Amino acid sequence: VPGCWSKSSKSIVFTSNRDSDYKTLKMTPAPREIYLVKVETMQVINLTNNSGDDYNPVVSPDANKILFLSDRNSEPRKYYSHIFVMKSTGKDVVEITDIDGDKSNISWSRDGSEILFQVNSGGTDYIYITDIKGKNKPFLLSEGFSPQWCQKQ
Protein backbone atom coordinates (compact mmCIF):
# COMPACT_ATOMS: atom_id res chain seq x y z
CA VAL A 1 0.00 0.00 0.00
CA PRO A 2 1.54 3.33 -0.98
CA GLY A 3 2.51 5.78 1.70
CA CYS A 4 2.55 9.56 1.45
CA TRP A 5 5.31 12.04 2.31
CA SER A 6 4.38 15.07 4.35
CA LYS A 7 5.03 18.48 2.75
CA SER A 8 8.16 18.96 4.87
CA SER A 9 9.48 15.47 3.94
CA LYS A 10 10.15 14.91 7.64
CA SER A 11 7.43 12.29 8.05
CA ILE A 12 5.63 9.62 6.07
CA VAL A 13 2.09 8.33 6.54
CA PHE A 14 1.27 4.77 5.59
CA THR A 15 -1.15 1.89 6.14
CA SER A 16 -0.32 -1.29 8.05
CA ASN A 17 -1.89 -4.01 10.17
CA ARG A 18 1.23 -4.24 12.37
CA ASP A 19 -0.65 -3.53 15.64
CA SER A 20 -3.91 -5.13 14.61
CA ASP A 21 -5.91 -7.09 17.14
CA TYR A 22 -7.32 -9.29 14.37
CA LYS A 23 -5.91 -12.45 15.98
CA THR A 24 -7.85 -11.72 19.16
CA LEU A 25 -10.95 -10.68 17.24
CA LYS A 26 -10.51 -13.55 14.75
CA MET A 27 -10.98 -11.14 11.85
CA THR A 28 -9.82 -11.82 8.30
CA PRO A 29 -8.49 -9.85 6.60
CA ALA A 30 -6.76 -7.98 9.37
CA PRO A 31 -8.04 -4.42 9.85
CA ARG A 32 -5.49 -1.77 8.90
CA GLU A 33 -4.50 1.44 10.67
CA ILE A 34 -2.91 4.72 9.56
CA TYR A 35 0.62 5.35 10.85
CA LEU A 36 3.05 8.23 10.77
CA VAL A 37 6.81 7.70 10.90
CA LYS A 38 9.15 10.56 11.75
CA VAL A 39 12.04 10.12 9.33
CA GLU A 40 14.80 11.59 11.56
CA THR A 41 14.03 9.38 14.57
CA MET A 42 12.18 6.49 12.87
CA GLN A 43 9.49 6.85 15.57
CA VAL A 44 6.26 5.18 14.38
CA ILE A 45 2.93 6.51 15.66
CA ASN A 46 -0.45 4.80 15.20
CA LEU A 47 -2.83 7.64 14.27
CA THR A 48 -6.14 5.74 13.98
CA ASN A 49 -6.05 2.94 16.57
CA ASN A 50 -9.61 1.50 16.35
CA SER A 51 -11.39 -1.69 15.25
CA GLY A 52 -12.33 -0.33 11.79
CA ASP A 53 -10.28 -0.80 8.63
CA ASP A 54 -8.45 2.51 8.00
CA TYR A 55 -6.33 2.89 4.86
CA ASN A 56 -5.11 5.05 1.92
CA PRO A 57 -3.93 8.17 3.78
CA VAL A 58 -3.47 11.36 1.75
CA VAL A 59 -1.75 14.37 3.37
CA SER A 60 -3.26 17.82 2.71
CA PRO A 61 -1.23 20.40 0.77
CA ASP A 62 -0.48 22.32 4.00
CA ALA A 63 0.39 19.02 5.80
CA ASN A 64 -2.06 19.77 8.64
CA LYS A 65 -4.74 17.20 7.75
CA ILE A 66 -4.96 13.65 6.45
CA LEU A 67 -7.76 12.18 4.34
CA PHE A 68 -8.26 8.43 4.60
CA LEU A 69 -10.74 5.67 3.82
CA SER A 70 -12.40 3.58 6.51
CA ASP A 71 -15.29 1.18 7.10
CA ARG A 72 -15.57 2.23 10.76
CA ASN A 73 -19.10 3.68 10.44
CA SER A 74 -20.49 1.20 7.91
CA GLU A 75 -23.83 -0.40 8.47
CA PRO A 76 -23.57 -4.11 9.31
CA ARG A 77 -23.18 -6.27 6.19
CA LYS A 78 -22.65 -3.25 3.88
CA TYR A 79 -18.91 -2.76 4.44
CA TYR A 80 -18.78 0.50 2.50
CA SER A 81 -15.69 2.60 2.75
CA HIS A 82 -16.22 6.23 3.71
CA ILE A 83 -13.91 9.22 3.56
CA PHE A 84 -12.65 10.70 6.81
CA VAL A 85 -10.38 13.63 7.62
CA MET A 86 -8.27 14.08 10.73
CA LYS A 87 -5.56 16.39 11.97
CA SER A 88 -2.05 15.18 11.17
CA THR A 89 -1.79 14.23 14.86
CA GLY A 90 -4.62 11.70 14.48
CA LYS A 91 -7.05 13.88 16.47
CA ASP A 92 -10.48 15.21 15.50
CA VAL A 93 -11.53 12.44 13.08
CA VAL A 94 -14.61 13.48 11.05
CA GLU A 95 -16.51 11.56 8.38
CA ILE A 96 -17.03 13.75 5.32
CA THR A 97 -19.01 11.43 3.00
CA ASP A 98 -22.30 9.65 3.48
CA ILE A 99 -22.84 8.45 -0.09
CA ASP A 100 -23.53 4.70 -0.42
CA GLY A 101 -20.86 2.76 -2.26
CA ASP A 102 -17.15 2.14 -1.97
CA LYS A 103 -14.95 5.23 -2.13
CA SER A 104 -11.47 5.26 -3.65
CA ASN A 105 -8.93 7.49 -5.39
CA ILE A 106 -9.23 10.38 -2.95
CA SER A 107 -7.18 13.51 -3.57
CA TRP A 108 -6.91 17.07 -2.29
CA SER A 109 -7.35 20.16 -4.45
CA ARG A 110 -4.25 22.31 -4.71
CA ASP A 111 -5.50 24.76 -2.06
CA GLY A 112 -6.84 22.00 0.23
CA SER A 113 -10.41 23.31 0.19
CA GLU A 114 -11.96 20.46 -1.83
CA ILE A 115 -11.51 16.76 -2.44
CA LEU A 116 -12.08 14.60 -5.49
CA PHE A 117 -13.02 10.93 -5.20
CA GLN A 118 -14.49 7.89 -6.93
CA VAL A 119 -17.56 5.98 -5.76
CA ASN A 120 -18.51 2.50 -6.96
CA SER A 121 -22.20 1.94 -6.44
CA GLY A 122 -24.08 -0.97 -7.99
CA GLY A 123 -21.15 -1.77 -10.27
CA THR A 124 -20.96 1.73 -11.76
CA ASP A 125 -18.18 4.19 -10.98
CA TYR A 126 -18.96 7.86 -10.34
CA ILE A 127 -16.69 10.82 -9.73
CA TYR A 128 -17.57 13.34 -7.02
CA ILE A 129 -16.09 16.56 -5.78
CA THR A 130 -16.92 18.05 -2.39
CA ASP A 131 -15.68 20.69 -0.03
CA ILE A 132 -13.61 19.49 2.91
CA LYS A 133 -16.64 19.64 5.23
CA GLY A 134 -18.62 17.32 2.94
CA LYS A 135 -21.46 19.79 2.43
CA ASN A 136 -21.26 20.15 -1.36
CA LYS A 137 -21.55 16.81 -3.22
CA PRO A 138 -22.37 17.48 -6.85
CA PHE A 139 -22.35 14.49 -9.16
CA LEU A 140 -19.71 15.08 -11.83
CA LEU A 141 -19.45 12.15 -14.22
CA SER A 142 -20.96 8.70 -14.67
CA GLU A 143 -18.83 5.73 -15.61
CA GLY A 144 -15.58 7.47 -14.70
CA PHE A 145 -12.77 6.31 -12.47
CA SER A 146 -9.26 7.17 -11.24
CA PRO A 147 -9.89 10.94 -10.96
CA GLN A 148 -6.95 13.26 -10.34
CA TRP A 149 -6.67 17.02 -9.97
CA CYS A 150 -4.75 18.74 -12.74
CA GLN A 151 -2.43 20.92 -10.69
CA LYS A 152 -1.27 23.14 -13.55
CA GLN A 153 -2.65 23.62 -17.04
Side-chain angles (χ1 to χ4, degrees):
V1 176
C4 183
W5 284 92
S6 68
K7 186 176 180 180
S8 67
S9 297
K10 293 184 179 183
S11 58
I12 301 168
V13 293
F14 66 96
T15 302
S16 176
N17 61 4
R18 62 176 43 209
D19 295 331
S20 181
D21 51 3
Y22 70 97
K23 291 179 183 173
T24 307
L25 297 173
K26 297 182 179 164
M27 296 174 72
T28 305
R32 298 163 285 182
E33 303 292 348
I34 308 293
Y35 293 84
L36 179 136
V37 61
K38 295 180 180 181
V39 176
E40 290 179 8
T41 63
M42 298 308 290
Q43 177 188 9
V44 178
I45 302 164
N46 185 334
L47 297 176
T48 60
N49 194 19
N50 75 88
S51 61
D53 191 24
D54 303 324
Y55 54 100
N56 289 6
V58 183
V59 177
S60 65
D62 66 6
N64 291 324
K65 295 179 182 164
I66 300 170
L67 287 172
F68 65 98
L69 297 172
S70 180
D71 66 359
R72 63 174 65 191
N73 289 350
S74 289
E75 294 178 35
R77 304 269 185 234
K78 279 198 174 179
Y79 306 110
Y80 290 140
S81 59
H82 293 281
I83 302 172
F84 290 79
V85 65
M86 65 181 165
K87 290 183 179 176
S88 59
T89 59
K91 304 291 183 206
D92 300 330
V93 176
V94 176
E95 181 176 352
I96 59 174
T97 59
D98 62 359
I99 301 166
D100 280 351
D102 276 322
K103 307 339 167 268
S104 61
N105 297 312
I106 53 177
S107 63
W108 291 94
S109 63
R110 187 176 191 153
D111 67 0
S113 66
E114 297 177 307
I115 63 167
L116 183 65
F117 57 99
Q118 176 181 334
V119 178
N120 182 287
S121 182
T124 303
D125 291 298
Y126 302 93
I127 296 172
Y128 283 86
I129 186 172
T130 189
D131 61 75
I132 193 58
K133 297 182 192 272
K135 293 181 179 178
N136 183 19
K137 293 179 253 191
F139 167 76
L140 290 184
L141 181 65
S142 174
E143 298 182 27
F145 49 91
S146 301
Q148 292 186 21
W149 290 99
C150 294
Q151 298 300 338
K152 289 187 178 183
Q153 284 283 338

